[in-house]
Amino acid sequence: MGEMVVVAGATGYVGRHAVLALDAAGYRVRALVRSRERAEAPGAFDAPSLRGHVADWCIVNYAEPSTLTDVCQDAARVVSALGVTRQKASPWDIDFLGNLRLLEDAERHSVASFLYVNVLHSDYGTSLTMRAKHAFSQVLRRSEVAGQIVNPSGYFSDLTDFLLLARKGIGFTVGAGESKVNPIHGADLADFIVEKMAGPAGSWDVGGPDIFSYREMEELAFEIAGRPPRLIRLGPGATASLGWIADRTSPRVGNLARFFLESLGVDAVGTPIGARRLEPYLRSVPDQR
Ligand SMILES: NC(=O)c1ccc[n+]([C@@H]2O[C@H](COP(=O)([O-])OP(=O)(O)OC[C@H]3O[C@@H](n4cnc5c(N)ncnc54)[C@H](OP(=O)(O)O)[C@@H]3O)[C@@H](O)[C@H]2O)c1
């Protein structure tokens, strides 16, 4: 029987691919989820259903620490792709405190490793998302459990938004859009997670096989959408004003605006892994206009 691996964030884009890759590699998966029903339905952005791939289900609520007690019992390892993206919660409560509670349980049960899906340059941004992720990665480095910290570039799932906006005729760049990104497919990241999970502690910056500037990404999105590119260029004044307005709209909107505007303004290129290409993926995204 394969080792038991606890997967947090199992219903997310990366989490779903990670569960399938672990199952395919002969591990048994204990999935921490809010809803088994949702987990067994197909995910967004072509991410797979978990039906038939999970040995053990745990229904958890990261706001109620008691629901995390002993989730690591008899488990060998933890993989966490837990984090707030589109959900209505504070990244501090989930990305930091949720992962911290899980790590404390992993330490109590002496698991061999804890692989954390972080984000490229979490040490740089001023958004609560970046601060919470960086804070947890620092805690993990100091744990007695071997911590593997994977820092990915943008996911195909997130970059789908460029295409969806281009189909509405909207596109923008921060500055001239010269910052670069090498987007990665969830399944390629999942294979990397399985490879690194059983090895030593470490930290890896990773991305997909193709490097795009954000301007090139926008141009590709408009080309696939079949529309002439119409890009709004946001200079430093416009990004500062947008951040100011977003901060006063709500903490959640402020955090998201800060996260995206800062991310679009810096290179996010990791070591290329995997073979899945962004362009055929974007061309396969159904047009639901
Ligand atoms: N998207 C990108 O381009 C990108 C790039 C680099 C790194 N990352 C990081 O990679 C990680 C995985 O990203 P992803 O795109 O796979 O995210 P995702 O699809 O939103 O999945 C996030 C997972 O965390 C869970 N979660 C979020 N908020 C929660 C809450 N309040 N209570 C309980 N569970 C909660 C979700 O559960 P539910 O399904 O129940 O909501 C889901 O299982 C995140 O930490 C993200 O910050 C993302």
Side-chain angles (χ1 to χ4, degrees), residues 2 5-6 22 46 64 89 95 99 106 114 127 131 138 140 142 148 184 186 188 226 228 230 261 282 285 289:
V5 180
V6 173
L22 287 163
D46 235 5
E64 277 182 34
D95 297 58
N99 278 303
F114 188 119
S127 65
R131 287 177 169 159
Q138 296 308 298
L140 182 55
R142 293 204 298 273
Q148 294 116 349
I184 184 163
D188 284 336
R230 245 192 26 212
L261 292 172
L282 286 180
V285 174
R289 271 178 298 181

Side-chain angles (χ1 to χ4, degrees), residues 42-218:
F45 308 109
D46 235 5
S49 153
L50 301 190
R51 186 184 296 272
H53 299 283
V54 172
D56 198 2
W57 296 93
C58 284
I59 305 298
V60 297
N61 175 351
Y62 291 93
E64 277 182 34
S66 62
T67 66
L68 291 168
T69 304
D70 295 336
V71 291
C72 294
Q73 188 155 26
D74 302 325
R77 303 176 189 283
V78 175
V79 168
S80 175
L82 171 70
V84 172
T85 59
R86 293 168 163 81
Q87 299 82 0
K88 287 187 178 145
S90 160
W92 190 256
D93 291 345
I94 302 299
D95 297 58
F96 182 70
L97 285 177
N99 278 303
L100 179 63
R101 287 172 187 139
L102 182 58
L103 177 62
E104 285 168 353
D105 195 67
E107 288 170 339
R108 250 193 320 276
H109 290 283
S110 305
V111 307
S113 65
F114 188 119
L115 185 143
Y116 175 54
V117 181
N118 189 27
V119 61
L120 207 53
H121 304 319
S122 66
D123 52 343
Y124 159 85
T126 65
S127 65
L128 190 56
T129 297
M130 288 301 211
R131 287 177 169 159
K133 298 187 95 60
H134 182 62
F136 179 70
S137 69
Q138 296 308 298
V139 169
L140 182 55
R141 281 177 201 278
R142 293 204 298 273
S143 173
E144 69 236 26
V145 172
Q148 294 116 349
I149 301 168
V150 177
N151 310 305
S153 180
Y155 301 153
F156 281 20
S157 53
D158 255 24
L159 296 163
T160 309
D161 285 342
F162 284 76
L163 175 61
L164 302 183
L165 286 174
R167 283 178 175 155
K168 294 180 178 155
I170 305 166
F172 62 90
T173 58
V174 169
E178 279 162 2
S179 305
K180 292 185 171 50
V181 60
N182 59 334
I184 184 163
H185 192 287
D188 284 336
L189 184 57
D191 290 341
F192 185 80
I193 287 170
V194 174
E195 180 195 322
K196 292 298 173 197
M197 180 192 69
S203 176
W204 301 270
D205 294 352
V206 296
D210 298 315
I211 300 176
F212 297 87
S213 70
Y214 282 104
R215 196 186 58 251
E216 289 167 339
M217 182 94 68
E218 287 285 11

